[in-house]
C-alpha cells in the first residue's frame, strides 16, 4: 500500500471532469493537491472547496517552459511531487474529422497537449523521483489508443503514443522504486465526452467520481510499474 | 606553466547531459585515472559509497523592470520568506557581459521596481547594487516574468528547463547546481544497482558574479541549506561523494557549525578553500574550473597543490574538455 496521506499529488487538467474528481478524491485521502488547468475561474471554484491543502496553477500544459514552471511552482508550495497525474487532454477538432480531413496543425496541437506535455511534465518531476527512489506517474489514456474508431485518428494516435511512452519509460525505471502507469478511464459523463459524442445517453456513462476513486486505489494499491489499467475491468476485479 | 595561464575553452553550446565528459582524478596523485563520460560514474565509484546530490531547482532569478524611468535587471540571489536579496544591474540584455553593463541607478529604501502588472519589488535595504526586497506578487507571477540568469558566453538564451538538473525538485537555487548537469536519472538508477547510495539535500546555490569587483570579493554570500534525516542516516559509515561545491558547502558547513549533521533548514557562511580540513566529504564531482575561480579554491581542499594544478593541466593537455558551468566534469576520489 502506498498511502496518499501527506503526499503531494500534481494533477494536470484538474478544473473539470475526471481531473476535478481526482483532486477531490486525493484531497479526501489526505493528499496535498496541486491543480493545473487553463480556466482560472473553474480552477478557483474547485480550490475553494478543497481549502488550503490545494494549490492552483493557471497554465496551458503545452505552453513554453510550462513543465519547468509548473514543477517549480508546485514544489515550492508542497515540496517534491509524489504522484503526477497527466490527465489534461484535447480531442482536437470537434466534430472529430476523418484523417483525410485532419490538418497538420490539428494533429500537432493534439500531440502537443496529449503527448509532449505529459512527456515534459514526467521528465520534469520524474528525475527527482528516481533520485528519491519513489514516486508514481499516471498517464491517462483511452480505449481509442487501442481501437480504430473512425474520426479518432489524431486523438487515438496521440494516446497510443502516450501508452507506448509509458511502457518504455516503465521498463527504463524498473527497479528504481518509481512506477509509470497508463490508465484507460472508460466512458465518463464529462464535457469531453459530450463534445465527442453529443448523442450518447448519459445514463450509460460512468460518473467521473466513481472512476477517480478507482484510479486512486490503483495508485495506492499494487498496480505494477508499466501496467496499463482499464478502469472498468479493474472495477470487475475488485468485485470478484 | 604559471598557474594564471591555465585556461580551458568555455562551453558555448552546452553538452547534452549524456555527452558530458568525465575526467577521473586520483586524490593522492592528481593523476588521471580515466578520460570518460558521465555514464562511467557508477563504475568509477565503489559499492557502499554515498553519492550526494543538491536537488534544488533553479529559480527564474532574472527579472527585468523599471525603477521610475530607469530600466533595471534584478538578479535574485537569496530568499528568506517573501524577502529576497538581489543584485541590481543597469540596462542591457543577456548578451552583455555583466562587467560591460552600465551601472544601475542607486536604489534607496522605499524605491519600487515595477516588473509587471502583478509583480513589483519594494526596496527595503540597499548597499550599492546589493538590495533587500519585498516581492509584491505571487510565486506564479515570479515564474511568469522571471527568466533564468543568462551567461554572456552561451550561444543562445536559456529557457527555464535548460537550467535544471535532471533531478531538480524544489526551487531553491539562484544558479543551477551545475556539477550535476550531466547526471541523468539512468545514471542514478545504475548507481543504486551497484549499491551506491543516492542521497539528496537542498542548497541555495547563489550567484557566481555580480559585475562589481568589490561585491564579487564578498561571494559567496551566506546560503541556506536543508539536509533531510534520511540523508544524514544514509551517509553514516559510507565514503561520501559530493556532487558539486554546494553539497560540500552544506555538509561541511553543517559540521563546522554543529559538530554533526543536523536536520532542518540552516544557513552557512563557510567558504571551503585549501585551508579547510574536510570532515564529512571524501570525494567530489565538479565542473572543470581554473585558478582564480572560487570553485577552484574549493577543489584545492580535495587536491592540495601542486595536485590541483596537475589535474587542470591534464584536462588542458587532453584538449577534450570544456570548462565553465555548461561544460564537462571532474571526479576527484581516492582510488583503491
Ligand atoms: N470522458 C471520457 O469518456 C474519456 C474516455 C477515455 C479517456 N478519457 C481521458 O480522460 C481524461 C479526462 O477526460 P475528461 O473527460 O475529464 O475531459 P474534460 O472534461 O475535457 O477535462 C479536461 C481537463 O483538462 C484541462 N485541460 C485541457 N487542455 C489543457 C491544457 N492545454 N492545459 C491545461 N489544462 C488543460 C481542462 O481544463 P481547461 O479547459 O480549463 O484547461 C480540464 O480540466 C483525458 O485524458 C481524456 O482523454 C476520457
Amino acid at each position: 500500500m502506498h498511502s496518499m496521506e501527506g503526499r503531494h499529488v500534481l494533477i494536470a487538467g484538474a478544473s473539470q471532469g475526471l481531473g476535478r474528481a481526482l483532486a477531490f478524491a486525493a484531497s479526501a485521502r489526505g493528499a496535498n493537491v496541486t491543480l493545473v488547468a487553463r480556466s482560472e475561474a473553474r480552477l478557483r471554484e474547485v480550490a475553494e472547496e478543497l481549502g488550503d491543502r490545494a494549490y492552483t496553477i493557471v497554465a496551458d500544459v503545452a505552453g513554453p517552459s510550462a513543465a519547468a514552471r509548473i514543477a517549480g511552482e508546485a514544489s515550492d508550495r508542497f515540496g517534491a511531487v509524489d504522484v503526477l497525474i497527466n490527465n489534461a487532454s484535447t480531442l482536437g477538432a470537434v466534430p472529430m474529422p476523418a484523417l483525410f480531413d485532419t490538418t497538420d496543425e490539428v494533429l500537432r496541437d493534439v500531440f502537443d497537449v496529449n503527448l509532449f506535455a505529459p512527456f515534459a511534465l514526467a521528465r520534469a518531476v520524474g528525475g527527482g523521483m528516481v533520485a528519491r527512489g519513489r514516486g508514481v506517474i499516471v498517464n491517462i489514456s483511452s480505449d481509442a489508443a487501442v481501437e480504430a474508431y473512425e474520426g479518432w485518428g489524431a486523438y487515438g494516435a496521440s494516446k497510443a503514443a502516450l501508452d507506448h511512452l509509458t511502457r518504455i519509460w516503465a521498463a527504463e525505471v524498473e527497479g528504481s522504486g518509481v512506477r509509470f502507469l497508463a490508465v484507460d478511464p472508460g466512458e465518463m459523463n464529462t464535457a469531453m465526452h459530450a463534445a465527442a459524442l453529443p448523442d450518447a445517453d448519459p445514463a450509460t456513462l460512468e460518473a467521473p467520481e466513481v472512476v477517480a476513486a478507482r484510479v486512486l486505489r490503483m495508485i495506492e494499491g499494487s498496480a505494477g510499474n508499466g501496467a496499463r489499467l482499464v478502469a472498468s475491468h479493474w472495477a470487475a476485479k475488485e468485485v470478484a | 606553466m604559471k598557474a594564471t595561464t591555465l585556461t580551458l575553452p568555455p562551453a558555448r553550446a552546452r553538452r547534452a547531459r549524456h555527452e558530458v565528459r568525465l575526467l577521473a582524478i586520483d586524490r593522492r596523485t592528481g593523476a588521471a585515472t580515466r578520460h570518460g563520460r558521465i555514464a562511467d560514474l557508477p563504475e568509477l565509484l565503489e559499492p557502499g559509497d554515498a553519492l550526494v546530490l543538491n536537488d534544488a531547482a533553479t529559480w527564474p532569478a532574472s527579472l527585468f523592470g523599471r525603477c521610475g524611468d530607469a530600466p533595471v535587471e534584478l538578479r535574485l540571489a537569496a530568499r528568506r520568506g517573501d524577502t529576497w536579496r538581489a543584485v541590481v544591474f543597469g540596462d542591457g540584455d543577456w548578451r552583455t557581459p555583466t562587467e560591460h553593463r552600465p551601472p544601475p541607478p542607486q536604489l534607496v529604501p522605499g524605491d519600487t521596481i515595477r516588473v509587471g502588472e502583478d509583480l513589483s519589488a519594494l526596496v527595503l535595504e540597499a548597499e550599492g547594487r546589493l538590495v533587500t526586497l519585498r516581492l509584491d506578487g505571487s510565486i506564479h507571477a515570479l515564474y511568469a516574468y522571471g527568466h533564468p540568469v543568462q551567461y554572456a558566453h552561451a550561444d543562445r538564451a536559456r529557457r527555464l528547463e535548460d537550467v535544471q538538473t535532471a533531478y531538480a525538485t524544489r526551487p531553491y537555487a539562484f544558479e543551477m547546481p551545475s556539477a550535476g548537469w550531466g547526471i541523468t536519472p539512468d545514471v542514478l538508477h545504475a548507481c543504486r544497482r551497484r549499491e551506491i547510495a543516492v542521497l539528496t539535500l537542498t542548497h541555495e546555490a547563489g550567484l557566481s558574479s555580480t559585475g562589481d569587483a568589490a561585491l564579487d570579493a564578498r561571494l559567496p554570500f551566506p546560503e541556506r541549506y536543508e539536509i533531510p534525516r534520511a540523508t544524514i542516516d544514509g551517509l553514516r559509515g559510507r565514503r561520501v561523494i559530493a556532487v558539486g561545491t554546494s553539497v560540500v558547502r552544506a555538509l561541511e558547513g553543517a559540521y563546522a557549525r554543529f559538530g554533526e549533521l543536523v536536520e532542518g533548514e540552516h544557513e552557512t557562511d563557510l567558504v571551503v578553500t585549501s585551508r579547510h580540513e574536510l570532515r564529512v566529504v571524501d570525494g567530489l564531482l565538479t565542473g572543470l574550473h581554473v585558478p582564480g575561480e572560487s570553485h577552484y579554491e574549493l577543489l584545492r581542499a580535495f587536491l592540495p597543490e601542486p595536485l590541483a594544478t596537475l589535474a587542470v593541466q591534464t584536462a588542458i593537455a587532453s584538449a577534450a574538455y570544456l570548462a565553465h558551468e555548461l561544460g564537462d566534469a571532474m571526479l576527484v576520489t581516492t582510488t583503491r
Side-chain angles (χ1 to χ4, degrees), chain A residues 55-59 64-66 68-73 75-76 79-81 123-133 171-177, chain B residues 53 55 57 59-60 79 84 138-141 143-146 159-162 164-171 184-186 188-189 192-193 198-200:
Chain A
Y55 178 67
T56 60
I57 302 176
V58 179
S65 296
R69 287 162 65 168
I70 291 166
E73 243 192 277
S75 316
D76 181 57
V81 174
R123 205 175 41 180
V125 303
M129 289 179 178
V130 171
R132 290 185 298 281
E172 290 176 354
V173 301
E174 179 62 33
S176 72
Chain B
L53 311 165
D55 69 3
W59 286 107
R79 178 194 191 186
W84 303 69
S138 61
I139 294 295
H140 185 70
Y143 270 94
Y145 297 110
R159 303 161 302 174
L160 188 58
E161 57 270 39
D162 297 332
Q164 310 299 339
T165 61
Y167 45 83
T169 301
R170 188 161 44 127
T184 62
D186 301 309
L188 297 178
H189 192 22
R192 283 236 176 77
R193 278 196 293 247
V198 175
L199 304 170
T200 60

Side-chain angles (χ1 to χ4, degrees), chain B residues 6 288-299 323-325:
Chain B
L6 294 176
L288 288 163
H289 300 284
V290 293
E293 296 177 40
S294 65
H295 292 317
Y296 180 82
E297 287 309 305
L298 183 138
L299 177 67
H324 236 291
E325 270 74 8

Side-chain angles (χ1 to χ4, degrees), chain A residues 12-20 36-40 42-43 57 59-63 70 86-91 113-114 117 139-144 152 155 159 162 183-194 197 205 208:
Chain A
S15 61
Q16 60 176 28
L18 178 61
R20 176 182 186 276
V36 182
R38 292 162 304 178
S39 151
E40 185 171 5
R42 276 202 302 262
L43 258 190
I57 302 176
D60 181 341
V61 291
I70 291 166
N86 276 315
N87 171 79
S89 178
T90 181
L91 292 167
V113 177
N114 295 0
N139 292 324
I140 303 293
S141 181
S142 164
D143 80 329
W152 293 71
Y155 176 90
K159 293 290 194 183
L162 182 63
V183 172
D184 166 7
E187 290 196 74
M188 299 174 292
N189 186 11
T190 67
M192 178 184 276
H193 199 284
L197 302 164
L205 306 174

